[in-house]
Coordinates of all heavy atoms in Angstrom, one line a residue:
D15 N 26.2 2.9 20.8 CA 26.0 3.3 19.4 C 24.7 2.7 18.7 O 24.5 1.5 18.8 CB 27.2 2.5 18.6 CG 27.1 2.9 17.2 OD1 26.5 3.8 16.7 OD2 27.8 2.1 16.4
E16 N 23.8 3.6 18.4 CA 22.5 3.4 18.1 C 22.5 2.5 16.9 O 21.8 1.5 16.8 CB 21.7 4.6 17.7 CG 20.3 4.4 17.4 CD 19.5 5.7 17.0 OE1 20.2 6.6 16.5 OE2 18.4 5.8 17.4
K17 N 23.4 2.6 15.9 CA 23.4 1.9 14.7 C 23.8 0.3 15.0 O 23.1 -0.5 14.5 CB 24.5 2.3 13.7 CG 24.1 3.7 13.0 CD 25.1 4.0 12.0 CE 24.7 5.4 11.4 NZ 25.6 5.8 10.4
S18 N 24.7 0.2 15.9 CA 25.1 -1.3 16.2 C 24.0 -1.9 17.1 O 23.7 -3.2 16.9 CB 26.5 -1.3 16.8 OG 26.4 -0.7 18.0
V19 N 23.4 -1.3 18.0 CA 22.4 -1.8 18.9 C 21.1 -2.1 18.1 O 20.5 -3.2 18.3 CB 22.1 -0.8 20.0 CG1 20.9 -1.3 20.9 CG2 23.3 -0.5 20.9
Y20 N 20.7 -1.3 17.2 CA 19.4 -1.5 16.5 C 19.6 -2.1 15.1 O 18.6 -2.1 14.4 CB 18.7 -0.2 16.6 CG 18.3 0.4 17.9 CD1 18.7 1.6 18.4 CD2 17.4 -0.4 18.7 CE1 18.3 2.0 19.6 CE2 17.0 0.0 19.9 CZ 17.5 1.2 20.4 OH 17.0 1.6 21.6
S21 N 20.8 -2.4 14.7 CA 20.9 -2.8 13.3 C 20.1 -4.1 13.0 O 19.6 -4.2 11.9 CB 22.4 -3.1 13.0 OG 22.9 -4.1 13.7
H22 N 20.0 -5.0 13.9 CA 19.3 -6.2 13.7 C 17.7 -5.9 13.5 O 17.1 -6.4 12.6 CB 19.4 -7.2 14.8 CG 18.6 -8.4 14.6 ND1 18.9 -9.3 13.7 CD2 17.5 -8.9 15.3 CE1 18.0 -10.3 13.7 NE2 17.2 -10.1 14.7
I23 N 17.3 -5.1 14.4 CA 15.8 -4.7 14.3 C 15.6 -3.9 13.0 O 14.6 -4.0 12.3 CB 15.3 -3.9 15.5 CG1 15.6 -4.8 16.7 CG2 13.9 -3.5 15.4 CD1 15.4 -4.0 18.1
A24 N 16.5 -3.0 12.7 CA 16.4 -2.2 11.4 C 16.4 -3.1 10.3 O 15.6 -2.9 9.3 CB 17.6 -1.2 11.4
H25 N 17.2 -4.2 10.2 CA 17.3 -5.1 9.1 C 15.9 -5.8 8.9 O 15.4 -5.8 7.9 CB 18.3 -6.1 9.4 CG 18.2 -7.3 8.5 ND1 18.6 -7.3 7.2 CD2 17.9 -8.6 8.8 CE1 18.4 -8.6 6.6 NE2 18.0 -9.3 7.6
E26 N 15.4 -6.3 10.1 CA 13.9 -6.9 10.1 C 13.0 -5.9 9.6 O 12.1 -6.2 8.8 CB 13.6 -7.4 11.4 CG 14.3 -8.7 11.8 CD 13.9 -9.2 13.2 OE1 13.0 -8.6 13.8 OE2 14.4 -10.2 13.6
S27 N 13.0 -4.6 10.0 CA 12.1 -3.6 9.6 C 12.2 -3.4 8.1 O 11.2 -3.2 7.5 CB 12.3 -2.4 10.4 OG 12.1 -2.5 11.8
A28 N 13.4 -3.3 7.7 CA 13.6 -3.0 6.2 C 13.1 -4.2 5.4 O 12.4 -4.0 4.3 CB 15.1 -2.9 5.9
E29 N 13.2 -5.5 5.8 CA 12.7 -6.6 5.1 C 11.1 -6.6 5.2 O 10.5 -6.9 4.1 CB 13.2 -7.9 5.7 CG 14.6 -8.2 5.4 CD 15.0 -9.5 6.0 OE1 14.4 -10.0 7.0 OE2 16.0 -10.1 5.4
D30 N 10.6 -6.1 6.3 CA 9.1 -6.0 6.3 C 8.6 -5.0 5.3 O 7.6 -5.1 4.7 CB 8.7 -5.7 7.8 CG 9.0 -6.9 8.7 OD1 9.0 -8.0 8.3 OD2 9.1 -6.6 9.9
I31 N 9.3 -3.8 5.3 CA 8.9 -2.7 4.4 C 9.0 -3.1 3.0 O 8.1 -2.8 2.2 CB 9.7 -1.5 4.7 CG1 9.3 -0.8 6.1 CG2 9.4 -0.3 3.6 CD1 10.1 0.3 6.6
I32 N 10.0 -3.9 2.6 CA 10.1 -4.3 1.2 C 9.0 -5.3 0.9 O 8.4 -5.3 -0.3 CB 11.4 -4.8 0.8 CG1 11.9 -6.1 1.5 CG2 12.5 -3.8 0.8 CD1 13.1 -6.7 1.0
R33 N 8.6 -6.1 1.8 CA 7.4 -7.0 1.5 C 6.1 -6.1 1.4 O 5.3 -6.5 0.5 CB 7.1 -7.9 2.8 CG 8.1 -9.1 2.8 CD 7.8 -10.0 3.8 NE 6.4 -10.6 3.8 CZ 5.9 -11.4 4.7 NH1 6.5 -11.5 5.9 NH2 4.7 -11.9 4.6
I34 N 6.0 -5.1 2.1 CA 4.8 -4.2 2.0 C 4.8 -3.6 0.6 O 3.7 -3.5 0.0 CB 4.7 -3.2 3.2 CG1 4.5 -3.9 4.5 CG2 3.7 -2.2 2.9 CD1 4.8 -3.0 5.7
I35 N 6.0 -3.0 0.2 CA 6.1 -2.4 -1.1 C 5.6 -3.3 -2.2 O 4.8 -2.9 -3.0 CB 7.5 -1.7 -1.3 CG1 7.8 -0.6 -0.4 CG2 7.8 -1.4 -2.7 CD1 9.3 -0.2 -0.3
S36 N 6.2 -4.4 -2.2 CA 5.9 -5.4 -3.3 C 4.4 -5.9 -3.2 O 3.9 -6.0 -4.3 CB 6.8 -6.6 -3.2 OG 8.1 -6.3 -3.4
A37 N 3.9 -6.0 -2.0 CA 2.5 -6.5 -2.0 C 1.6 -5.4 -2.4 O 0.5 -5.7 -3.2 CB 2.1 -6.9 -0.5
I38 N 1.8 -4.2 -2.1 CA 0.9 -3.1 -2.5 C 1.0 -2.8 -4.0 O 0.0 -2.6 -4.6 CB 1.1 -1.8 -1.7 CG1 0.8 -2.0 -0.2 CG2 0.4 -0.7 -2.2 CD1 1.3 -1.0 0.8
D39 N 2.3 -2.8 -4.5 CA 2.5 -2.6 -5.9 C 1.8 -3.7 -6.7 O 1.3 -3.4 -7.8 CB 3.9 -2.5 -6.2 CG 4.2 -2.0 -7.7 OD1 3.8 -1.0 -8.0 OD2 4.8 -2.9 -8.4
A40 N 1.9 -5.0 -6.2 CA 1.3 -6.0 -7.0 C -0.3 -5.8 -7.0 O -0.8 -6.0 -8.1 CB 1.6 -7.4 -6.2
E41 N -0.9 -5.4 -6.0 CA -2.3 -5.0 -6.0 C -2.6 -3.9 -7.0 O -3.6 -4.0 -7.7 CB -2.8 -4.6 -4.6 CG -3.0 -5.7 -3.6 CD -4.1 -6.7 -4.2 OE1 -5.1 -6.4 -4.6 OE2 -3.7 -8.0 -4.1
R42 N -1.7 -2.9 -7.0 CA -1.9 -1.8 -8.0 C -1.7 -2.3 -9.4 O -2.6 -1.9 -10.2 CB -0.8 -0.8 -7.7 CG -0.9 0.4 -8.6 CD 0.0 1.5 -8.2 NE -0.1 2.6 -9.1 CZ 0.9 3.3 -9.8 NH1 2.1 3.0 -9.5 NH2 0.7 4.3 -10.6
A43 N -0.8 -3.2 -9.6 CA -0.7 -3.7 -11.0 C -1.9 -4.6 -11.4 O -2.4 -4.4 -12.6 CB 0.6 -4.7 -11.1
R44 N -2.5 -5.4 -10.5 CA -3.7 -6.2 -10.8 C -4.8 -5.1 -11.1 O -5.7 -5.5 -12.0 CB -4.1 -7.0 -9.7 CG -3.2 -8.2 -9.5 CD -3.7 -9.2 -8.4 NE -2.6 -10.2 -8.1 CZ -1.9 -10.1 -7.0 NH1 -2.0 -9.1 -6.1 NH2 -1.0 -11.1 -6.8
L45 N -4.9 -4.1 -10.4 CA -6.0 -3.1 -10.7 C -5.9 -2.6 -12.1 O -6.8 -2.2 -12.7 CB -5.9 -2.0 -9.6 CG -6.9 -0.9 -9.7 CD1 -8.3 -1.5 -9.4 CD2 -6.6 0.3 -8.6
R46 N -4.6 -2.4 -12.6 CA -4.3 -1.9 -13.8 C -4.4 -2.9 -14.9 O -4.2 -2.7 -16.2 CB -2.9 -1.2 -13.9 CG -2.8 0.0 -13.0 CD -1.4 0.5 -13.0 NE -1.4 1.8 -12.9 CZ -0.4 2.7 -13.4 NH1 0.6 2.1 -14.0 NH2 -0.6 3.9 -13.3
G47 N -4.8 -4.1 -14.5 CA -4.9 -5.2 -15.5 C -3.7 -6.0 -15.9 O -3.6 -6.7 -16.9
I48 N -2.6 -5.7 -15.1 CA -1.4 -6.4 -15.4 C -1.4 -7.8 -14.8 O -1.8 -7.9 -13.6 CB -0.2 -5.6 -14.8 CG1 -0.1 -4.3 -15.6 CG2 1.2 -6.4 -15.1 CD1 0.9 -3.3 -14.9
E49 N -0.9 -8.8 -15.4 CA -0.9 -10.2 -14.9 C 0.3 -10.3 -13.8 O 1.4 -10.2 -14.3 CB -0.9 -11.2 -15.9 CG -1.2 -12.6 -15.4 CD -1.5 -13.6 -16.5 OE1 -1.9 -13.2 -17.6 OE2 -1.1 -14.7 -16.3
V50 N -0.1 -10.6 -12.6 CA 1.0 -10.5 -11.5 C 0.9 -11.8 -10.8 O -0.2 -12.4 -10.5 CB 0.7 -9.4 -10.5 CG1 1.6 -9.4 -9.3 CG2 0.8 -8.1 -11.2
Y51 N 2.1 -12.4 -10.5 CA 2.2 -13.7 -9.8 C 2.7 -13.5 -8.4 O 3.0 -14.5 -7.7 CB 3.1 -14.7 -10.6 CG 2.6 -15.0 -12.0 CD1 3.2 -14.4 -13.0 CD2 1.5 -15.8 -12.1 CE1 2.6 -14.6 -14.4 CE2 1.1 -16.1 -13.4 CZ 1.6 -15.5 -14.5 OH 1.1 -15.8 -15.7
Y52 N 2.8 -12.3 -7.9 CA 3.2 -12.0 -6.5 C 2.1 -12.3 -5.5 O 1.0 -11.8 -5.7 CB 3.7 -10.7 -6.4 CG 4.3 -10.3 -5.0 CD1 5.7 -10.5 -4.9 CD2 3.5 -9.9 -4.0 CE1 6.2 -10.3 -3.6 CE2 4.0 -9.5 -2.8 CZ 5.5 -9.8 -2.6 OH 6.0 -9.6 -1.4
E53 N 2.3 -13.1 -4.5 CA 1.3 -13.4 -3.6 C 1.9 -13.2 -2.1 O 3.0 -13.7 -1.9 CB 0.8 -14.9 -3.5 CG 0.0 -15.2 -4.8 CD -1.3 -14.5 -4.7 OE1 -1.9 -14.3 -3.7 OE2 -1.8 -14.1 -5.8
D54 N 1.2 -12.4 -1.4 CA 1.8 -12.2 0.0 C 0.5 -11.7 0.8 O 0.2 -10.5 0.6 CB 2.9 -11.2 0.0 CG 3.5 -11.1 1.4 OD1 3.0 -11.7 2.4 OD2 4.6 -10.4 1.5
D55 N -0.1 -12.4 1.6 CA -1.3 -12.0 2.3 C -0.8 -11.1 3.6 O -0.9 -11.5 4.7 CB -2.1 -13.2 2.8 CG -3.5 -12.7 3.3 OD1 -3.7 -11.5 3.3 OD2 -4.3 -13.5 3.6
W56 N -0.3 -10.0 3.2 CA 0.3 -9.1 4.2 C -0.8 -8.6 5.2 O -0.5 -8.4 6.4 CB 1.0 -8.0 3.6 CG 1.9 -7.3 4.3 CD1 1.9 -6.0 4.8 CD2 3.0 -7.8 5.0 NE1 2.9 -5.7 5.6 CE2 3.6 -6.8 5.8 CE3 3.6 -9.1 5.1 CZ2 4.8 -7.0 6.6 CZ3 4.8 -9.3 5.8 CH2 5.4 -8.2 6.6
D57 N -2.0 -8.3 4.6 CA -3.1 -7.8 5.5 C -3.4 -8.7 6.6 O -3.6 -8.4 7.8 CB -4.3 -7.5 4.7 CG -4.2 -6.2 3.8 OD1 -3.3 -5.3 4.1 OD2 -4.9 -6.1 2.9
E58 N -3.5 -10.0 6.2 CA -3.9 -11.0 7.3 C -2.8 -11.1 8.3 O -3.0 -11.3 9.5 CB -4.1 -12.4 6.5 CG -4.5 -13.4 7.5 CD -5.7 -13.1 8.3 OE1 -6.6 -12.4 7.8 OE2 -5.8 -13.6 9.5
L59 N -1.5 -11.1 7.9 CA -0.3 -11.2 8.8 C -0.4 -10.0 9.8 O -0.3 -10.3 11.1 CB 1.0 -11.1 8.0 CG 2.2 -11.3 9.0 CD1 2.2 -12.6 9.8 CD2 3.4 -11.2 8.1
I60 N -0.7 -8.8 9.3 CA -0.8 -7.7 10.3 C -1.9 -7.9 11.2 O -1.8 -7.6 12.4 CB -1.0 -6.3 9.5 CG1 0.4 -6.0 8.8 CG2 -1.5 -5.3 10.3 CD1 1.4 -5.5 9.8

Side-chain angles (χ1 to χ4, degrees):
D15 177 19
E16 186 182 31
K17 285 183 183 176
S18 62
V19 171
Y20 293 119
S21 64
H22 178 68
I23 301 170
H25 166 72
E26 286 181 359
S27 297
E29 286 185 337
D30 293 339
I31 289 174
I32 63 173
R33 278 184 66 188
I34 293 167
I35 289 170
S36 294
I38 296 169
D39 186 63
E41 282 302 310
R42 182 175 180 225
R44 285 187 192 101
L45 182 66
R46 293 173 143 211
I48 299 170
E49 196 168 327
V50 173
Y51 298 103
Y52 185 87
E53 287 297 324
D54 192 351
D55 194 358
W56 196 245
D57 288 336
E58 182 56 32
L59 181 60
I60 285 293

